Amino acid sequence: MAELKLPRLPDRTPVKLTVTLGAELNQALKDYADLYQTTYGSPESVVELIPFMLEAFLASDKNFRPAKK
C-alpha cells in the first residue's frame, strides 16, 4: 500500500445532541450571536455557533489537551 502525505481522515459523521439550557445561558448565547452578527456582519444562529464555541473551548483548555492524548 502506498504511503500518502495526507493521513486517513477522521470520522466526520455528524451527531445530533439535545440539551436543555437554563434561561440565563440561553439569553447569553443569543446575545453572543447578536454580537457575532455586529462584529462580522453575518447572521449565524446559536445552533450554528455552538459547535465552534465548544471546539474553541476544548482547544483552549490546557488541562484537557494532555489528558486527551
Side-chain angles (χ1 to χ4, degrees), residues 5-66:
K5 275 241 187 237
L6 181 68
R8 184 178 191 145
L9 297 177
D11 183 6
R12 297 176 313 272
T13 305
V15 176
K16 185 171 184 159
L17 298 175
T18 302
V19 298
T20 302
L21 306 176
E24 288 182 25
L25 178 56
N26 184 50
Q27 187 58 54
L29 290 169
K30 289 178 183 178
D31 293 344
Y32 191 94
D34 291 343
L35 181 58
Y36 182 94
Q37 181 174 0
T38 300
T39 302
Y40 296 111
S42 173
E44 296 290 347
S45 71
V46 169
V47 171
E48 291 294 325
L49 291 173
I50 286 175
F52 296 98
M53 296 169 83
L54 290 172
E55 282 183 13
F57 172 81
L58 292 175
S60 69
D61 188 327
K62 64 182 179 188
N63 293 317
F64 176 70
R65 282 180 277 158

